[in-house]
């Protein structure tokens, strides 16, 4: 949408000194570039591509990064607000065991602050609104019936136990990989989450984590995702994926998450070329010719650091091996949007609420308090996910706004119906992403095509959060993949 594109451009103007300077250099590089030569050409200036470029440059290699958009960050995006300030339109949260994104942010001087989590959550189910504390015996588990809670506890423990059997570097090699990859998460839940209220909890968890419906996901893929929610010292758990305090939603970045890639790009200067969508990658003797709009780069190695279905839209000569091409055909993006309503104050806090909702209805079934650390204004952020995101793909911004604000008023009262501003980011409609937050795998994909996920094709290497062994689908996974692919390339140069 025009409004979203304007916000994307304006967000760059508000970047702090070093970040803004770096993007200016990159933009200048766009205007001047025609033909360039480098040791490595990186396709995509998201966290994965920029991290790989940083490590390659640090090792003394020459690098050019080609980015299709007029900004860096990929699925990480700050949206500027009319009255000042920013809000995040893409990835924004980090938490325990997400060590690599935290280390990167620290190295760039981007601070974190705690996601607002004081007060009660809200459960909206069967037309009834129930506030509930998150610091009791049940933690943040919504107060459903006793039978449902008991069933949910068993299901969660089972998922965590099964996930421990998944090798995060090769989930398709798990002892029961074939069995688990033959069924959907929906099929498994119906056999195990036998109490309707328990099934409701896992349905909401699924759409919140994956932005996909349980019927769309291989059960093996779900177990891999849980296993990946940790690090080498801490096995992944479902709770770490879903929790705020102690979980993946624990912290946010001061100034917005896009500060991290903006400042990282600034360290690379005019090595980053914007407005340069890559059209083809052609092997020419011992080198590769990467052709983008307005720019051609000749390099010894190429790192493709974009989502698999976007990588599939590049023309390769010679053509990619069938296994790699078939893989990218079978890893579609999930469906997600974010709707943020801005208010003079975070008024829900005075009502003892933390802004977090779990709902069984509406276009928005989960929300967060997205206000800045000084609470100088209030911001309610809602995820529009899976079936609901697809239902509104072709709707106007006014139609989406009306539906979202109706939900917010249901959850938080009539004050929520009249925000001072409203911003919308629909990733399904972004031409160089087409969904989010991650590519998803249906039954049969990982066991049949998974080995091609990270396997280089000649001098072409693959990065991006989908290729990570830990925190796939998250900013941390993107950074990890960039670090991994840089080491891989350096071994070959």
């Amino acid at each position: 949408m025009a409004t979203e594109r304007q916000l994307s451009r304006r967000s760059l103007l508000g970047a702090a000194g070093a970040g803004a300077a770096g993007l200016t250099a990159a933009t200048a590089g766009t205007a001047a570039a025609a033909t360039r030569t480098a040791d490595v050409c990186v396709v995509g200036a998201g966290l994965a591509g920029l991290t790989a470029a940083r490590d390659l440059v640090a090792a003394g290699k020459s690098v050019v990064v080609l980015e299709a958009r007029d900004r860096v960050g990929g699925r990480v995006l700050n949206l500027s607000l009319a009255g000042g300030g920013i809000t995040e339109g893409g990835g924004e949260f980090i938490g325990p065991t997400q060590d690599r994104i935290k280390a990167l942010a620290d190295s760039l001087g981007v601070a974190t602050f705690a996601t607002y989590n004081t007060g009660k959550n809200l459960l909206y189910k069967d037309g009834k609104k129930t506030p509930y504390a998150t610091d009791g015996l049940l933690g943040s588990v919504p107060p459903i019936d006793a039978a449902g809670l008991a069933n949910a506890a068993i299901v969660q423990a089972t998922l965590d136990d099964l996930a421990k059997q998944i090798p995060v570097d090769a989930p398709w090699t798990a002892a029961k990989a074939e069995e688990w990859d033959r069924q959907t998460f929906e099929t498994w839940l119906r056999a195990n989450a036998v109490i309707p209220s328990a099934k409701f909890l896992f349905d909401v968890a699924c759409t919140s984590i994956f932005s996909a419906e349980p019927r769309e996901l291989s059960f093996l893929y779900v177990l891999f995702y849980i296993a990946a929610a940790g690090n080498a010292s801490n096995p992944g758990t479902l709770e770490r994926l879903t929790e705020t305090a102690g979980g993946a939603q624990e912290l946010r970045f001061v100034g917005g998450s896009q500060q991290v890639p903006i400042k990282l790009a600034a360290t690379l200067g005019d090595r980053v070329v914007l407005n340069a969508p890559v059209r083809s990658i052609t092997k020419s003797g011992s080198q590769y010719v990467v052709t983008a709009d307005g720019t051609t780069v000749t390099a010894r190695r190429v790192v493709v650091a974009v989502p698999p279905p976007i990588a599939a839209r590049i023309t390769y000569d010679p053509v990619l091996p069938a296994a790699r091409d078939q893989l990218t055909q079978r890893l579609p993006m999930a469906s997600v949007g974010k709707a943020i309503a801005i208010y003079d104050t975070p008024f829900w806090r005075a009502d003892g609420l933390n802004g977090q909702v779990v709902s069984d209805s509406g276009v928005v079934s989960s929300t967060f308090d997205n206000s800045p650390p000084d609470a100088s204004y209030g911001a309610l952020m809602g995820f529009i996910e899976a079936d609901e995101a697809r239902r509104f793909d072709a709707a106007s911004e006014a139609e989406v706004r009306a539906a979202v604000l109706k939900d917010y008023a249901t959850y938080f009262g009539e004050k929520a119906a009249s925000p001072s501003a409203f911003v919308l980011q629909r990733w399904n409609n972004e031409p160089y992403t087409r969904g989010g937050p991650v590519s998803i795998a249906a039954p049969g994909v990982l066991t049949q095509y998974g080995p091609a996920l990270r396997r280089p094709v000649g001098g072409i290497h693959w990065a991006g959060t989908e290729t990570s062994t830990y925190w796939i689908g998250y900013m941390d996974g993107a950074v990890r993949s960039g670090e991994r692919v840089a080491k891989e390339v350096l071994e070959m140069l």
Side-chain angles (χ1 to χ4, degrees):
M1 295 177 62
T3 302
E4 293 164 5
R5 289 194 294 268
Q6 290 163 3
L7 286 168
S8 299
R9 288 192 290 267
R10 286 202 301 271
S11 68
L12 302 180
L13 303 178
L23 283 167
T24 299
T27 305
T30 303
T35 301
R36 301 173 70 165
T37 301
D39 291 319
V40 184
C41 180
V42 176
V43 180
L47 284 168
L50 294 172
T51 298
R54 174 203 64 181
D55 290 358
L56 290 165
V57 169
K61 305 303 179 184
S62 58
V63 177
V64 176
V65 181
L66 300 176
E67 168 56 45
R69 297 181 173 93
D70 60 359
R71 62 171 181 83
V72 299
R75 286 168 267 184
V76 179
L77 171 64
N78 286 355
L79 301 175
S80 296
L81 303 175
I86 62 91
T87 192
E88 292 98 340
E92 65 175 281
F93 301 110
I94 68 169
T97 74
Q98 295 189 6
D99 315 307
R100 303 317 303 153
I101 179 64
K102 184 63 165 60
L104 174 60
D106 288 347
S107 73
L108 296 168
V110 182
T112 58
F113 67 102
T115 302
Y116 190 80
N117 199 38
T118 301
K120 295 182 176 181
N121 282 22
L122 279 177
L123 170 66
Y124 187 80
K125 189 173 185 298
D126 300 325
K128 180 183 177 182
K129 185 165 57 177
T130 305
Y132 63 98
T134 61
D135 55 0
L137 291 176
L138 297 177
S140 63
V141 178
I144 58 173
D145 58 278
L149 287 172
N151 187 198
I154 293 171
V155 170
Q156 179 168 323
T158 302
L159 287 169
D160 286 346
D161 286 344
L162 295 180
K164 291 175 183 175
Q165 301 176 38
I166 303 294
V168 293
D169 58 342
W172 44 88
T173 65
K176 294 187 177 181
E178 293 283 350
E179 174 187 335
W180 292 335
D181 206 30
R182 282 197 296 266
Q183 60 186 308
T184 64
F185 189 34
E186 172 72 18
T187 302
W188 188 88
L189 283 176
R190 286 186 178 182
N192 291 273
V194 294
I195 306 298
S197 56
K199 177 66 162 54
F200 154 71
L201 290 184
F202 289 98
D203 286 346
V204 172
C206 180
T207 54
S208 297
I209 293 168
F210 299 97
S211 297
E213 303 292 339
R215 67 175 185 274
E216 299 179 86
L217 304 172
S218 156
F219 184 50
L220 176 63
Y221 176 75
V222 171
L223 293 177
F224 166 46
Y225 216 86
I226 295 170
N231 58 21
S233 303
N234 300 275
T237 66
L238 179 60
E239 184 178 34
R240 195 175 290 125
L241 285 168
T242 59
E243 290 292 317
T244 299
Q249 288 69 234
E250 184 172 72
L251 299 174
R252 296 172 59 203
F253 290 110
V254 176
S257 52
Q258 199 187 1
Q259 284 290 306
V260 179
I262 287 174
K263 290 191 173 185
L264 181 53
T267 70
L268 297 169
D270 64 4
R271 297 180 183 89
V272 180
V273 183
L274 303 181
N275 298 304
V278 169
R279 305 301 180 183
S280 65
I281 299 174
T282 302
K283 193 171 191 302
S284 177
S286 63
Q287 307 221 8
Y288 289 83
V289 178
V290 183
T291 304
D293 290 1
T295 304
T296 298
V297 179
T298 300
R300 297 163 63 192
R301 296 273 159 174
V302 180
V303 171
V304 179
V306 298
I310 302 302
R313 299 179 186 189
I314 299 171
T315 298
Y316 300 86
D317 185 8
V319 297
L320 295 176
R324 172 69 198 185
D325 193 72
Q326 291 283 322
L327 174 74
T328 59
Q329 291 181 42
R330 288 166 169 80
L331 287 178
M333 299 300 287
S335 301
V336 68
K338 292 178 78 173
I340 304 100
I342 307 301
Y343 306 89
D344 292 339
T345 64
F347 60 85
W348 49 93
R349 297 183 183 181
D351 297 330
L353 301 175
N354 62 15
Q356 296 175 42
V357 170
V358 174
S359 176
D360 67 348
S361 60
V363 62
V364 169
S365 59
S366 64
T367 67
F368 281 87
D369 182 329
N370 249 42
S371 308
D374 63 1
S376 54
Y377 56 87
L380 280 175
M381 182 273 287
F383 287 105
I384 308 173
E385 300 179 293
D387 284 350
E388 289 300 321
R390 291 185 283 268
R391 187 162 70 90
F392 280 88
D393 277 344
S396 68
E397 182 170 336
E399 290 171 323
V400 178
R401 173 189 168 115
V404 169
L405 293 182
K406 180 180 178 182
D407 288 343
Y408 289 178
T410 297
Y411 305 147
F412 299 105
E414 282 305 310
K415 286 183 182 178
S418 302
S420 58
F422 181 87
V423 291
L424 177 65
Q425 179 67 24
R426 290 189 279 187
W427 289 100
N428 292 15
N429 296 343
E430 279 279 319
Y432 298 112
T433 311
R434 302 317 306 261
V438 66
S439 294
I440 55 175
V445 174
L446 287 180
T447 49
Q448 294 301 309
Y449 306 100
L453 188 60
R454 288 185 298 275
R455 182 188 298 150
V457 175
I460 302 174
H461 303 257
W462 313 103
T465 190
E466 286 84 3
T467 71
S468 186
T469 53
Y470 288 108
W471 288 109
I472 175 178
Y474 289 76
M475 292 184 284
D476 190 74
V479 174
R480 289 176 187 270
S481 79
E483 293 174 338
R484 184 264 308 160
V485 83
K487 292 176 183 177
E488 183 179 286
V489 170
L490 288 171
E491 289 175 358
M492 300 296 181
L493 286 175

